[in-house]
Amino acid sequence: MPRPARFTSADSTPVLVRRFVQLFVGLFLYGMGIALIVRGELGVAPWDVLTQGIAKQTGLQFGLITVITSGFVLLLWIPIRQRLGFGTVMNALLVGPSADIGLWLIPPGLDLWVRVLLLPAGIVVLAVATGLYIGAHFGPGPRDGLMTGLHRVTGWKIWIVRTGIELVVLAAGWLLGGNVGLGTVAFAVLIGPLCGVTIPMFAIKRTPLAAGDPALVAPTAVAADAASARSTT
């Protein structure tokens, strides 16, 4: 299994509480952002294209497939010895159910003008959510961790790794019947610049002792890598 990070912290209680709140709010909003884009029905992000394709072929719920896919991605961490964080586990378990809540709240088949508004709203919510959960410094999500782990072991530029992964995922999802469209392109173009703003905006400032904890250095590095990857995709 991926190596778990030690959960120790030299943060003050208020900072630690803020980190937990920010993590869970960010993960909930991440699922809601996915739901907004899906209900926009104008094309979704590459990993969600795959989720939609699997859902179409199996009849399973979107959120359940998201959780299962996250588990599979975490298995890919084992050979590259990527380090597991608390936030990684929470991301794998909570984003899918949060997306299902959003899909339950927002009905399908809305008027075009509403769907046109849902797409950019979803992208903005996703960018804010990314800044929140990464800024909490609890570790990367399964997909970001795979990207940065492959970058570390191969030495390939991070944008090459990310693009390669997402092209494979996108192609597989499209072949399974996932929704590729304008929203897919909009996500690829906009998410990088937006996350370039939200990640530093929501990054929690921590004491040098806490930030230097071996259990927490990797997540901080991942945050920088994730920002770089999104801005070059």
Side-chain angles (χ1 to χ4, degrees):
M1 289 296 294
R3 296 178 299 161
R6 285 185 301 109
F7 184 72
T8 58
S9 178
D11 290 315
S12 65
T13 299
V15 171
L16 190 58
V17 169
R18 181 190 165 186
R19 289 176 61 208
F20 275 109
V21 171
Q22 188 166 308
L23 171 68
F24 289 112
V25 170
L27 294 179
F28 176 75
L29 288 178
Y30 202 99
M32 295 299 292
I34 290 173
L36 287 167
I37 296 173
V38 170
R39 288 299 189 234
E41 300 176 8
L42 297 172
V44 298
W47 282 99
D48 298 326
V49 173
L50 177 62
T51 302
Q52 283 186 327
I54 295 173
K56 181 173 287 189
Q57 298 300 321
T58 64
L60 296 175
Q61 283 188 312
F62 187 98
L64 176 60
I65 296 170
T66 300
V67 173
I68 293 171
T69 303
S70 295
F72 175 76
V73 172
L74 287 178
L75 291 177
L76 299 178
W77 284 31
I78 298 174
I80 60 176
R81 298 183 180 277
Q82 184 72 346
R83 195 172 193 179
L84 196 69
F86 175 74
T88 309
V89 178
M90 292 299 99
N91 183 301
L93 294 177
L94 298 180
V95 169
S98 298
D100 274 346
I101 291 173
L103 294 171
W104 175 70
L105 290 172
I106 308 169
L110 296 169
D111 291 341
L112 178 60
W113 70 270
V114 178
R115 293 190 284 117
V116 168
L117 294 177
L118 289 181
L119 173 61
I123 294 174
V124 170
V125 170
L126 268 178
V128 171
T130 299
L132 286 169
Y133 98 77
I134 287 181
H137 304 296
F138 278 118
R143 294 154 186 79
D144 279 338
L146 176 64
M147 171 190 66
T148 55
L150 287 173
H151 161 67
R152 173 176 50 80
V153 300
T154 64
W156 297 340
K157 292 183 178 180
I158 202 161
W159 71 266
I160 294 176
V161 176
R162 184 181 181 92
T163 301
I165 292 172
E166 295 200 344
L167 283 175
V168 170
V169 167
L170 182 65
W174 178 72
L175 290 172
L176 291 170
N179 185 9
V180 179
L182 176 63
T184 310
V185 177
F187 179 88
V189 170
L190 297 175
I191 197 65
L194 288 171
C195 286
V197 173
T198 62
I199 289 175
M201 178 185 297
F202 293 110
I204 296 175
K205 292 181 175 61
R206 309 174 63 206
T207 64
L209 178 60
D213 190 311
L216 303 167
V217 170
T220 304
V222 168
D225 285 343
S228 172
R230 288 189 176 90
S231 64
T232 54
T233 300

